[in-house]
Amino acid sequence: MKEIQLEAFLTDVEKPSRYIGTEWNSVHKEISGDMTRFALAFPDLYEVGMSHLGTKILYHTLNRRSDVFAERTFAPWTDMEREMRQRKVPLFSLESRTPLNQFDMIGFTLQYELSYTNILNMLDLAGIPLRADERDHTHPLIIAGGPCAFNVEPLAPFMDVIHLGESEEALHEIVSTYRECQRHDPRNRKFLLERLQDIQGVYIPSFYAPRYHSDGTLEGLDKLNGKAPDRIQKAVVRDLDKVDYPTEPIVPFLEIVHDRMMLEVFRGCTRGCRFCQAGMIYRPVRERSKEELLRQAEALIRATGYDEISLTSLNTSDYSQIQSLVKTMVDCYGPAGIGLSLPSSRVDSFSIGLLEEIQKVRKTGLTLAPEAGSQRLRDVINKNVTEEDYLSAVRDAFGAGWTGIKLYFMIGLPTETDEDIAGIADLAEKAVQIYNSDHKGGQNRRKPLRITISVAGFVPKPHTPFQWEAQDSVDELKRKQKLLKDRIRNRAIHLNWHDAEVSFLEAVFARGDRHVADALERAWQLGCKFDGWTEMYRHDLWMKAFQDTGVDPHFYANRIRPLNEVLPWDHLDSGVSKDFLMVEREQAWSEKTTPDCRFEDCQQCGVCPDLQVAIQLKGGHSDA
């Protein structure tokens, strides 16, 4: 394998340390001819990809094998890409600077729909044909996984293998099967794919062909391979204490998005927010034991030198032993100046005790997610929090010394009215009133208050109760953004929002089918990439791509879908039954809430019996 030489031009690009691959704890193996070469490809900037926990886990678990070397690659920024294309330098792995087209397998992370053009760009930079049907046994096997895999149809023509669900165990099966098939018949790609599809969670798109009605809706899938299953069920790790976790993660030379230690306390969420895809596809809840978390924390501190540990999950304050875990970690590591952070908190699981423990070492940012501006709409989305929960959390935060709070909301939710939008501003104003009244003359009064409202446009996501709903038009989302902006008059309240055009494109790909693949490829040909970056997004080019390929984006984003319509992702099984989603949709329109099955009766979502896995609360009950 020929190593790419970068020294001639690396100093000419911004942040060259994105591309050198010699960071602390990076893995550099002596490569022999019989090793399997696996490239972990994250289709965004280095700073984003190196903050992704899933990539850290897979890099660690693959490199524990003596017969595999796993290396990383990321989407080069525009200056680096320009140099590479001018100098005819192919996309390469960081550790050994091996061209990607010399790897056996390339695994893409599908974390965000607006990274899809980067995937095509990376394949092109690597000199690999974009479409699966243009590749043969001489090309790397292109694999993808992550949350967007649960509707991968817009990317299906470009992928050889998709993996649904959690991959750290299944990936070993995939690699072992690949190695076995290479020994048996390395030229027989079809035989390899047939063997791989026997692994739980593996979906081979080329074994299926969509069939459409005359109106463009999906009629069904035709199986092109007799061994292909009707449905592909996701893979799930049953006990997190029994799987490897990266306690010697790579420490980058430059600041990344999440530049700290990451400790995954549990997976899954059964709160049941009806807009939230993660809360459905990552079920059930499985916690790590407090003892295992403390062991991992000790190892992370020794291996990295970071001074902050982020306790990560979909909602860390729901961890059944959160109070005792935080207290123990603060007592152990606080004297050394090592602080803790919680990425976000639900307003109903908040506690002053938890806040006070965390800020003993270092005051971190505080984010609360009420999601909607009125109690009626919070009931529609099944947020299961009240205004008093919110006000109590805000009061506790100010009492503990916080002078700044971030509040997350969504606009465009089903049944939303202008009164609900106004309620967002009202909740922020009530926080200001609490600060001014409860803490007048206190220590915080010397510091200016800052309430930051972040508003995202609702995107109907597959495998949620709202998967059938329409997204508001771009014009309507903009009208609601202006309505909210005009409602905010207090200088202590600051408003940020997600671009409506970007939310629109996200909805197109979230609910798209294989027809959208043609528009995706055309948009890339026109120059689209890094579409999730404000300075890079080109709405005009995307609209031209849709026009050029005859794809109507509004058909996917802005159309209510009948409950009996075949959906592009119906064959991809998250474990949550469609019947449950329909019931939850009815509950939403009736403004009725559904309780969390961790604390009340089973709600019959289907995950536990279908996947033969159960909720695991290692503390037995919540101490939050």
Side-chain angles (χ1 to χ4, degrees):
M1 293 181 294
K2 185 178 179 181
E3 180 180 311
I4 299 295
Q5 299 300 313
L6 304 179
E7 285 71 21
F9 64 92
L10 205 55
T11 55
D12 296 331
V13 303
E14 179 186 6
K15 298 182 181 179
S17 53
R18 289 168 172 162
Y19 311 106
I20 59 178
T22 57
E23 311 97 315
W24 185 257
N25 292 332
S26 58
V27 178
H28 297 261
K29 292 185 175 183
E30 184 175 341
I31 301 170
S32 62
D34 63 343
M35 295 177 74
T36 297
R37 302 162 295 178
F38 200 112
L40 291 166
F42 196 93
D44 210 322
L45 270 187
Y46 175 95
E47 294 94 315
V48 178
M50 284 303 298
S51 301
H52 180 243
L53 180 58
T55 298
K56 298 176 193 286
I57 290 173
L58 297 183
Y59 183 81
H60 166 79
T61 193
L62 283 173
N63 278 316
R64 283 177 62 89
R65 295 179 62 132
S66 60
D67 57 358
V68 174
F69 73 84
E71 303 193 353
R72 298 161 294 144
T73 190
F74 303 92
W77 190 241
T78 53
D79 57 347
M80 182 64 169
E81 181 187 344
R82 183 172 56 251
E83 293 288 342
M84 291 170 65
R85 290 194 183 275
Q86 287 177 354
R87 298 169 184 268
K88 299 188 182 334
V89 173
L91 188 62
F92 54 89
S93 65
L94 297 193
E95 283 78 0
S96 66
R97 297 185 184 176
T98 301
L100 243 61
N101 59 14
Q102 295 183 22
F103 278 76
D104 298 307
M105 290 182 274
I106 301 174
F108 282 97
T109 297
L110 306 182
Q111 194 67 23
Y112 182 37
E113 290 88 352
L114 297 197
S115 68
Y116 289 178
T117 49
N118 282 1
I119 293 175
L120 302 194
N121 200 47
M122 292 170 75
L123 289 174
D124 182 69
L125 273 171
I128 298 170
L130 299 189
R131 298 206 173 225
D133 60 11
E134 298 171 347
R135 299 191 289 264
D136 59 26
H137 70 279
T138 65
H139 297 110
L141 194 69
I142 307 302
I143 306 174
C148 293
F150 284 89
N151 179 28
V152 75
E153 292 306 286
L155 270 178
F158 310 104
M159 296 292 128
D160 296 313
V161 178
I162 303 298
H163 188 260
L164 294 184
E166 295 160 347
S167 299
E168 58 257 63
E169 293 176 331
L171 204 51
H172 287 296
E173 293 185 72
I174 291 172
V175 169
S176 295
T177 300
Y178 176 87
R179 290 177 60 81
E180 179 184 338
C181 291
Q182 287 298 102
R183 290 190 295 267
H184 175 75
D185 186 355
R187 299 176 62 88
N188 194 337
R189 192 91 153 187
K190 179 182 177 184
F191 177 72
L192 169 62
L193 296 177
E194 287 179 341
R195 288 291 309 279
L196 288 173
Q197 75 175 355
D198 293 335
I199 299 170
Q200 184 165 353
V202 168
Y203 167 46
I204 310 298
S206 61
F207 287 175
Y208 303 82
R211 186 175 66 258
Y212 297 95
H213 293 291
S214 59
D215 63 358
T217 59
L218 187 64
E219 183 179 355
L221 285 180
D222 292 327
K223 292 196 294 184
L224 305 181
N225 184 288
K227 298 179 181 179
D230 293 332
R231 290 173 62 81
I232 296 87
Q233 189 178 67
K234 77 173 183 182
V236 62
V237 172
R238 283 161 175 76
D239 190 339
L240 294 185
D241 281 352
K242 295 180 179 179
V243 294
D244 287 331
Y245 188 79
T247 53
E248 294 183 2
I250 295 171
V251 181
F253 292 134
L254 73 161
E255 185 176 356
I256 60 177
V257 175
H258 299 299
D259 207 15
R260 59 187 73 92
M261 292 172 276
M262 301 175 73
L263 199 60
E264 184 188 35
V265 297
F266 69 88
R267 289 183 193 171
C269 179
T270 47
R271 290 281 184 173
C273 295
R274 292 173 179 136
F275 61 84
C276 180
Q277 185 185 57
M280 298 296 166
I281 65 175
Y282 292 136
R283 292 184 178 208
V285 171
R286 289 143 294 143
E287 294 185 345
R288 279 192 168 92
S289 66
K290 176 183 172 184
E291 294 73 23
E292 178 62 15
L293 290 171
L294 293 174
R295 184 195 69 78
Q296 292 177 3
E298 182 70 26
L300 283 165
I301 291 169
R302 288 198 307 267
T304 65
Y306 280 121
D307 63 0
E308 183 178 332
I309 301 175
S310 176
L311 303 179
T312 66
S313 72
L314 289 177
N315 180 41
T316 300
S317 51
D318 273 347
Y319 181 60
S320 64
Q321 300 183 76
I322 187 62
Q323 292 281 9
S324 58
L325 175 67
V326 167
K327 186 177 189 312
T328 300
M329 294 183 74
V330 169
D331 290 345
C332 288
Y333 307 123
I338 298 172
L340 300 180
S341 65
L342 275 65
S344 65
S345 296
R346 283 182 58 92
V347 297
D348 60 332
S349 55
F350 214 68
S351 91
I352 185 63
L354 190 59
L355 277 174
E356 290 175 336
E357 286 292 336
I358 290 173
Q359 74 161 0
K360 282 180 181 178
V361 182
R362 186 183 303 112
K363 192 172 295 180
T364 60
L366 179 61
T367 301
L368 302 176
E371 305 291 2
S374 71
Q375 189 59 51
R376 184 200 67 80
L377 192 53
R378 284 191 293 274
D379 289 344
V380 168
I381 64 175
N382 203 47
K383 193 63 183 176
N384 275 318
V385 297
T386 65
E387 183 169 316
E388 184 50 44
D389 292 327
Y390 160 77
L391 297 176
S392 177
V394 168
R395 193 173 293 112
D396 287 348
F398 291 151
W402 262 266
T403 57
I405 295 177
K406 294 181 180 179
L407 301 174
Y408 279 172
F409 294 91
M410 300 184 78
I411 60 172
L413 289 161
T415 79
E416 184 179 71
T417 66
D418 285 358
E419 289 182 2
D420 299 316
I421 301 295
I424 295 174
D426 294 344
L427 286 178
E429 182 62 40
K430 287 177 181 178
V432 175
Q433 293 171 4
I434 289 173
Y435 184 84
N436 290 335
S437 62
D438 288 9
H439 301 284
K440 189 173 182 179
Q443 61 175 347
N444 289 341
R445 288 293 290 158
R446 297 180 181 179
K447 301 178 183 178
L449 173 66
R450 185 179 180 91
I451 304 293
T452 301
I453 300 174
S454 292
V455 177
F458 165 68
V459 176
K461 293 280 189 173
H463 304 281
T464 70
F466 290 159
Q467 65 182 358
W468 294 277
E469 308 304 329
Q471 184 185 58
D472 278 351
S473 69
V474 168
D475 287 344
E476 178 65 2
L477 286 174
K478 288 182 175 181
R479 184 192 71 82
K480 290 180 177 180
Q481 290 169 348
K482 185 178 185 303
L483 177 67
L484 178 57
K485 180 182 178 181
D486 292 344
R487 184 85 179 192
I488 295 172
R489 297 183 177 87
N490 195 307
R491 288 185 295 177
I493 302 173
H494 303 263
L495 175 64
N496 301 319
W497 63 65
H498 200 55
D499 288 343
E501 290 89 353
V502 173
S503 296
F504 169 69
L505 187 62
E506 185 180 343
V508 173
F509 281 98
R511 299 204 299 173
D513 55 31
R514 294 196 192 186
H515 283 146
V516 181
D518 293 336
L520 170 62
E521 186 171 5
R522 180 59 180 146
W524 168 74
Q525 292 170 346
L526 292 170
C528 293
K529 59 188 134 183
F530 288 104
D531 298 298
W533 293 73
T534 301
E535 66 269 35
M536 295 293 292
Y537 180 69
R538 290 289 306 275
H539 193 65
D540 58 333
L541 295 184
W542 272 105
M543 293 303 102
K544 177 172 172 49
F546 288 126
Q547 183 179 15
D548 288 353
T549 54
V551 173
D552 178 8
H554 305 285
F555 178 81
Y556 299 101
N558 306 127
R559 178 174 64 90
I560 295 177
R561 304 198 181 187
L563 294 181
N564 62 352
E565 181 176 326
V566 177
L567 303 174
W569 53 90
D570 276 348
H571 59 299
L572 305 176
D573 187 359
S574 69
V576 175
S577 74
K578 204 170 183 180
D579 286 343
F580 172 77
L581 298 179
M582 289 180 180
V583 169
E584 282 298 290
R585 181 179 184 271
E586 292 177 5
Q587 292 282 88
W589 285 93
S590 300
E591 301 176 9
K592 295 179 180 178
T593 60
T594 300
D596 189 333
C597 63
R598 275 174 294 187
F599 314 116
E600 298 192 33
D601 293 338
C602 172
Q603 301 300 314
Q604 306 296 322
C605 77
V607 166
C608 293
D610 285 357
L611 298 179
Q612 298 182 342
V613 62
I615 291 174
Q616 293 185 20
L617 304 183
K618 293 296 177 77
H621 62 279
S622 173
D623 67 6

